[in-house]
Amino acid sequence: MNIFETRMNELYGLVKYHASLYYDKDSPEISDAEYDALVRELNQLEKDYPQYARKDFLTHNVGGSPSNLFAKVEHSTPMLSLDNVFTPDELSAFFERIDAEGFVCEMKIDGLAVSLVYEDGIFVRGATRGNGRVGEDVTENLRLVDAVPKKLIDAPSGIVEVRGEVLMTSERFNAVNALRESRGEKLFANPRNAAAGTLRQSEKNNHVIAERGLDIFLYYLVDAEKFGVTTQAGALTWLSEHGLPVQEAYKVCNTLDDVKDFISRWQEERFTLGYATDGVVVKINNLTRWPEIKATSHAPRWAVAFKYPPEEARTRITDIIISVGRTGVLTPVAILEPVRLAGTQVSRAGLHNADEIARKDIRRGDIVRVRKAAEIIPEIIEADKDSRTGNEEIFTMPEKCPICGSLIVRLPHETAYRCPNRASCPAQLTESLKYFASRDGMNIKGIGKKLAEKLTASGKINSLSDIYTLTADDWLELDKIAMKSAENILSQLEDSKSRPFANLITALGIPEVGKNTAALITEHFGNIDALMNADEESLAEIDGVGTVIAHSVHEFFRNEGNLRMIEAFRKMGFVLENETTGKSTELEGKTFVFTGTLETMTRDEAGERVKALGGKVSGSVSSKTDYVVAGEKAGSKLRKAESLGVKILTENEFLSMTGGN
Ligand code: IVH
């Protein structure tokens, strides 16, 4: 393999991984801009080296895929997306081609599209958009959203299907993130991710749905003509009259000039709405024209989305400081004279790394243009070099860590500068502790930002495993907390020792390894010794890992301090192997086939149970099949099992065989 092919393979893995984090898990690890850069690099390489391109990989068209957490629902008509335009001229061109007049302008809400179905006025089903054709059945979760009416006012009989956007208001978004920060949990990148992440919860966690308070606006009435509705404005009125929430900022515009006025009026005013919007959707008002206007495969042509440019402002950089992250990476941060941007007061901006500061020639004291896209942290576009006075100061990376004084290193293959003092740099230790205790890690409630800072400052901790050696007295002294809280922390620490192996690997904070990667590598290797002894090649071969992550994992387990920490965990009785492969072998060598509908679980869940006990699942019955589990309406597979004399289990028998309900 040459370097281009290697890099392309790596990029395929990275794009797939980050697309899945964004679309399916609602939890991006990188900014939209960084993601776009990966896709651009891959597209360029595909152009230059088509012989290595994967024909089936649609880099321009990665979207969500319905997850296995929910049953799948096929939409009555596809839930399409919209074409985007970015200038008034592009907008005119779009509609002149179809020769339209009479429009409705609505705000483009940055949320998550859903479809709601009512039967005789009663809410019976709700689904996400998924891939447009097949979505996820989130009916039960939508029942927990107060804003979704469970009963329509003056309902027509039969089916009513409506579509709209589930969203989280800015106020709720800030409150949710503040709470997450105090618990050391990862912040939601933007309100869209927060809304999607909240709605797409497993049953186990659905209590957060009501807590977080989602909202909804509907904007589409399916088969409107059935209800005598012939315009989009009429549809919005119909929705609202039947009790379905409709956004307030919409307007009927007769001409394209009116549309352009609406767009410019709301460019600033939209920040007073209290929820995130990223453009205006312009629709032809006359619904009877919609069917005659041909759609493309992914978007209708009776509507278009005008996207606002990211918001910009001008301000001055008063200082450039260095923040030291969990993995020791030094990130320069610009401190700004506070300025209003996209509806909020901004006083900091990320500068990414020293190369970028040098490339953009950004100095302390500069007047700069700052921009905020969908992410929370604004970025600096450029410095206004004409307005320099000569007192601006060129930034250079410090030679020593501003926190612990260690000499800074820069590895040859990295853009980042790092403080190498992983084991005891207070900044890294604090961040590592927060991460260690976070929900995806060891899930130790009680240890948030404040306590992590105090732990580090106390000097009692040199390594993550040291928190398990503290006594109740130590905790009392540390935080001046009540005896009861100290005991509570001790019992939480004790509980945390039995977290699954993958959580511990996540909690270690190995650079580049988040919870998804941790799941991949623990599943692959099964136990800590196999993982520690793995060479870089075998790590890199795991689907979704690649050379960068493989290198980082390998390095981590070559460090003395880290190895001592693992040994400490081993002595304290932590779980250092997969429960599935390591312990349970009851069903080893047994093959199961499921047929028909199970009552208490989906087939996927049943399959997970079998695999957790060391067994295998197959899709077809043969003489090698050991058990066929027959649910409701079992058909040909059941008959085949009978004819082959394969043992047949009822759902109940299966449940008791695999450890009950
Ligand atoms: S109408 C056939 N109206 O934007 C699609 N969509 O980028 C009809 N969206 O998938 C959609 N606000 O999730 C429509 N007022 C609005 C909207 C809106 C947000 C979303 C929707 C759509 C996406 C397209």
Side-chain angles (χ1 to χ4, degrees):
M1 234 191 263
N2 68 30
I3 51 168
F4 300 110
E5 189 177 2
T6 310
R7 177 64 181 157
M8 281 171 78
N9 283 340
E10 183 161 57
L11 285 166
Y12 282 119
L14 283 170
V15 169
K16 193 168 142 206
Y17 173 71
H18 289 295
S20 150
L21 285 182
Y22 183 87
Y23 290 107
D24 301 331
K25 313 244 163 57
D26 310 313
S27 157
E29 285 172 2
I30 57 176
S31 71
D32 289 5
E34 286 168 306
Y35 175 77
D36 290 343
L38 291 175
V39 173
R40 267 200 306 276
E41 185 186 347
L42 180 54
N43 287 341
Q44 190 57 47
L45 283 166
E46 282 182 325
K47 246 191 233 145
D48 297 345
Y49 303 95
Q51 66 271 36
Y52 307 131
R54 294 189 193 166
K55 302 273 173 319
D56 54 342
F57 194 93
L58 294 174
T59 43
H60 342 274
N61 198 14
V62 209
S65 50
S67 78
N68 288 329
L69 210 54
F70 303 99
K72 296 182 175 56
V73 180
E74 191 157 341
H75 297 302
S76 60
T77 55
M79 289 180 77
L80 299 177
S81 80
L82 292 171
D83 281 335
N84 292 328
V85 293
F86 298 91
T87 64
D89 284 347
E90 284 173 19
L91 179 79
S92 307
F94 186 93
F95 283 111
E96 271 157 18
R97 258 179 277 141
I98 349 181
D99 182 23
E101 54 184 53
F103 304 94
V104 172
C105 291
E106 299 167 18
M107 297 316 290
K108 182 161 164 24
I109 301 159
D110 204 7
L112 144 102
V114 292
S115 129
L116 309 178
V117 177
Y118 291 83
E119 207 174 306
D120 295 334
I122 305 297
F123 174 62
V124 291
R125 209 182 66 205
T128 64
R129 190 171 94 107
N131 62 16
R133 218 174 32 77
V134 179
E136 300 152 318
D137 187 334
V138 286
T139 312
E140 295 316 311
N141 286 356
L142 281 167
R143 282 191 204 287
L144 302 170
V145 176
D146 273 348
V148 172
K150 310 304 173 300
K151 202 165 174 255
L152 297 183
I153 299 169
D154 280 341
S157 60
I159 299 283
V160 172
E161 182 180 349
V162 296
R163 293 177 179 174
E165 207 83 359
V166 167
L167 64 123
M168 188 180 280
T169 62
S170 315
E171 195 183 336
R172 296 299 313 151
F173 173 71
N174 292 332
V176 166
N177 263 352
L179 185 67
R180 289 174 80 84
E181 165 129 61
S182 74
R183 291 183 182 155
E185 293 172 1
K186 197 159 112 207
L187 301 191
F188 285 119
N190 55 52
R192 192 211 88 93
N193 286 126
T198 302
L199 187 64
R200 299 169 73 224
Q201 290 289 337
S202 65
E203 210 179 314
K204 207 170 73 212
N205 281 324
N206 65 11
H207 58 94
V208 305
I209 299 174
E211 256 164 53
R212 289 194 193 146
L214 294 175
D215 267 289
I216 191 168
F217 287 126
L218 288 311
Y219 47 65
Y220 188 91
L221 175 61
V222 178
D223 291 334
E225 70 284 7
K226 250 186 15 197
F227 311 104
V229 172
T230 57
T231 62
Q232 172 63 8
L236 292 171
T237 309
W238 192 99
L239 292 168
S240 153
E241 281 173 0
H242 288 81
L244 293 155
V246 167
Q247 52 170 310
E248 71 225 70
Y250 77 84
K251 189 164 184 271
V252 177
C253 294
N254 290 322
T255 65
L256 274 175
D257 282 339
D258 296 346
V259 170
K260 289 172 193 166
D261 284 346
F262 180 94
I263 289 174
S264 54
R265 174 178 149 211
W266 281 97
Q267 175 146 14
E268 284 303 318
E269 242 176 274
R270 67 201 169 107
F271 299 114
T272 61
L273 287 171
Y275 48 85
T277 57
D278 58 351
V280 171
V281 181
V282 187
K283 304 176 180 177
I284 294 177
N285 194 16
N286 184 350
L287 299 183
T288 62
R289 284 211 59 199
W290 290 11
E292 110 205 14
I293 305 169
K294 266 210 163 354
T296 64
S297 63
H298 68 281
R301 307 201 70 96
W302 42 258
V304 73
F306 178 94
K307 293 285 279 279
Y308 286 119
E311 279 290 294
E312 268 188 46
R314 263 169 78 87
T315 185
R316 184 187 301 277
I317 298 185
T318 54
D319 198 3
I320 297 178
I321 61 163
I322 300 288
S323 113
V324 183
R326 176 168 58 79
T327 57
V329 173
L330 271 56
T331 310
V333 178
I335 304 297
L336 308 173
E337 266 169 21
V339 61
R340 270 194 91 70
L341 179 60
T344 56
Q345 194 85 333
V346 168
S347 52
R348 289 173 157 241
L351 285 166
H352 304 291
N353 57 54
D355 287 350
E356 185 167 302
I357 300 179
R359 191 171 52 75
K360 290 186 176 168
D361 185 17
I362 290 170
R363 308 181 184 181
R364 281 193 184 88
D366 265 342
I367 302 274
V368 289
R369 280 165 62 205
V370 283
R371 160 167 77 192
K372 196 151 132 185
E375 295 82 26
I376 339 174
I377 316 254
E379 60 175 1
I380 291 181
I381 310 166
E382 62 171 6
D384 179 355
K385 291 171 188 131
D386 294 338
S387 65
R388 279 190 179 149
T389 60
N391 293 330
E392 294 76 15
E393 233 180 278
I394 294 180
F395 171 81
T396 49
M397 224 33 185
E399 282 172 12
K400 290 182 177 164
C401 170
I403 309 295
C404 74
S406 300
L407 277 180
I408 296 306
V409 296
R410 187 180 213 190
L411 300 178
H413 62 280
E414 287 195 325
T415 35
Y417 290 79
R418 281 179 201 270
C419 164
N421 185 10
R422 277 286 276 163
S424 49
C425 170
Q428 293 182 60
L429 199 52
T430 303
E431 292 303 315
S432 301
L433 275 169
K434 268 164 55 186
Y435 188 76
F436 184 81
S438 69
R439 198 164 79 183
D440 292 340
M442 302 312 270
N443 196 7
I444 306 164
K445 296 220 171 63
I447 301 188
K449 186 169 181 234
K450 281 214 188 90
L451 199 50
E453 279 167 0
K454 286 188 180 157
L455 274 167
T456 315
S458 74
K460 290 185 201 288
I461 304 281
N462 287 314
S463 147
L464 293 170
S465 53
D466 291 348
I467 53 173
Y468 291 88
T469 62
L470 300 184
T471 62
D473 283 343
D474 289 327
W475 287 104
L476 285 175
E477 190 185 319
L478 202 68
D479 201 29
K480 308 213 170 27
I481 45 178
M483 189 61 193
K484 200 152 172 291
S485 311
E487 280 167 3
N488 186 18
I489 288 185
L490 287 178
S491 89
Q492 290 228 19
L493 284 168
E494 201 51 41
D495 285 352
S496 73
K497 293 180 184 171
S498 51
R499 301 274 181 264
F501 181 35
N503 284 58
L504 178 64
I505 297 302
T506 308
L508 293 177
I510 304 170
E512 318 288 340
V513 178
K515 88 170 169 185
N516 297 294
T517 306
L520 290 177
I521 60 180
T522 52
E523 184 159 323
H524 186 89
F525 290 103
N527 65 61
I528 191 80
D529 295 300
L531 176 58
M532 289 200 298
N533 293 325
D535 53 34
E536 277 192 56
E537 288 74 41
S538 50
L539 278 158
E541 272 165 19
I542 304 172
D543 199 14
V545 173
T547 51
V548 174
I549 297 175
H551 180 75
S552 169
V553 174
H554 188 258
E555 285 283 283
F556 185 88
F557 291 116
R558 297 288 146 323
N559 174 291
E560 284 287 322
N562 292 339
L563 295 179
R564 269 200 302 278
M565 174 166 74
I566 302 286
E567 287 321 305
F569 287 137
R570 199 193 296 271
K571 284 215 185 77
M572 290 187 275
F574 280 65
V575 179
L576 297 176
E577 61 188 4
N578 281 348
E579 265 143 336
T580 48
T581 55
K583 283 194 184 134
S584 305
T585 50
E586 284 157 56
L587 298 181
E588 198 167 288
K590 301 283 183 227
T591 302
F592 282 71
V593 173
F594 294 94
T595 175
T597 317
L598 302 180
E599 236 172 55
T600 59
M601 59 179 85
T602 64
R603 280 200 223 170
D604 279 348
E605 285 161 353
E608 288 305 317
R609 275 174 98 115
V610 170
K611 287 185 229 155
L613 296 169
K616 276 198 261 172
V617 179
S618 163
S620 58
V621 181
S622 74
S623 57
K624 299 210 182 86
T625 310
D626 294 287
Y627 299 100
V628 167
V629 182
E632 271 297 290
K633 300 212 182 99
S636 62
K637 288 181 194 167
L638 177 57
R639 285 193 294 279
K640 185 154 183 205
E642 282 164 351
S643 73
L644 290 172
V646 173
K647 175 103 181 104
I648 294 161
L649 300 176
T650 63
E651 183 170 349
N652 266 334
E653 285 167 335
F654 170 72
L655 285 175
S656 48
M657 179 184 234
T658 55
N661 236 325

